[in-house]
Amino acid sequence: QCTVPLPNTGFVAIAAGDVHTCALMNGGDVKCWGYNYYSQLGDGMTSDRPTPVNTSGLGSEVVAITAGLYHTCALTSRGGVKCWGWNILGQLGDGTTTNQTTPVNVSGLSSGVVAVAAGDAHTCALTSGDGVKCWGANYAGELGDGTTTDRLTPVDVSGLNNRVTAIAAGGAHTCTLMSEGSVKCWGGNDTSQLGDGTMTNQTMPVDVNGLSSGVVAIAAGGAHTCALTSRSGVKCWGRNDTGQLGDGT
């Protein structure tokens, strides 16, 4: 364990990428540290930072943060999304494939977003209408639009019928918690991280077997997924080569 030298005013949330970390401060600004080759710290530089630095251009309007492999995104108090860092597959959503050293607006998402989740090279947003939009890498179908075409700007996820209450993004898969307590997933499925009983990638949402109700929260790792149930239990599925499912195998 170590203590990160953050101001005494404290922070309200943290997000960990592959080799960088960001903190949402009590005043609504963001500080990041760690690996910065792709500018995922958002300080206008590409130098690694062993201690927290301010992310530029966010002011004090951030209410949530998420970190992908080498990119980071923030949800603003106005319901907009800003992203920075690695962008070779369009994961920043600004219509380009240019890495960004400071935050840029995600196209078409200046308002109406209530949550955001970053995967390795894709990003998804839950909207106030309980739908989901995704952008970035789509080689395994992780954007859920029925294709495997990378998207430089947000596209709608198909088949969710505006019933989503939470989202989680893994390495190349995405999952949603539905209003009735069920879970749907899509994207890469080579280690059964979608939980549908197959190892076939899915370009549109599919039901997770055995979780038709009773789920209250979800989380996605690189190639596995877990759900918290209303009985305070946890169920996991997918890759388990180092015991990440916690079932003793």
Side-chain angles (χ1 to χ4, degrees):
Q1 295 181 347
C2 64
T3 300
V4 178
L6 290 169
N8 292 331
T9 52
F11 57 95
V12 295
I14 56 174
D18 189 56
V19 282
H20 78 290
T21 313
C22 292
L24 173 59
M25 306 306 295
N26 198 32
D29 57 340
V30 176
K31 293 180 180 289
C32 297
W33 59 95
Y35 187 61
N36 198 30
Y37 181 83
Y38 296 100
S39 302
Q40 59 264 51
L41 305 188
D43 64 341
M45 308 292 287
T46 56
S47 303
D48 297 346
R49 302 291 189 174
T51 57
V53 293
N54 290 322
T55 297
S56 302
L58 289 176
S60 58
E61 62 176 358
V62 177
V63 296
I65 52 175
T66 183
L69 186 67
Y70 302 132
H71 76 292
T72 314
C73 295
L75 174 63
T76 74
S77 57
R78 297 179 181 180
V81 181
K82 295 176 179 285
C83 297
W84 58 95
W86 190 41
N87 197 31
I88 192 171
L89 297 169
Q91 55 265 52
L92 302 189
D94 66 339
T96 78
T97 56
T98 303
N99 296 346
Q100 300 290 346
T101 63
T102 57
V104 293
N105 292 320
V106 175
S107 297
L109 291 183
S110 59
S111 63
V113 175
V114 297
V116 61
D120 274 3
H122 75 291
T123 315
C124 293
L126 172 61
T127 71
S128 56
D130 299 333
V132 177
K133 294 178 179 286
C134 297
W135 58 96
N138 199 27
Y139 62 90
E142 56 263 55
L143 302 189
D145 67 341
T147 78
T148 55
T149 303
D150 297 342
R151 305 293 187 177
L152 306 186
T153 56
V155 293
D156 291 318
V157 176
S158 303
L160 294 176
N161 299 319
N162 297 328
R163 295 185 293 114
V164 179
T165 60
I167 55 174
H173 74 292
T174 314
C175 294
T176 52
L177 175 59
M178 308 302 291
S179 57
E180 68 274 15
S182 66
V183 180
K184 292 179 179 287
C185 297
W186 60 93
N189 199 27
D190 56 325
T191 57
S192 299
Q193 58 264 52
L194 302 188
D196 66 340
T198 79
M199 296 178 70
T200 302
N201 293 351
Q202 302 288 347
T203 62
M204 293 174 60
V206 294
D207 293 322
V208 174
N209 291 348
L211 291 181
S212 59
S213 64
V215 176
V216 296
I218 52 173
H224 76 291
T225 316
C226 293
L228 173 64
T229 72
S230 56
R231 296 183 178 181
S232 300
V234 177
K235 294 179 179 287
C236 296
W237 57 96
R239 188 174 180 176
N240 198 33
D241 57 333
T242 55
Q244 50 265 61
L245 302 189
D247 65 343
T249 75

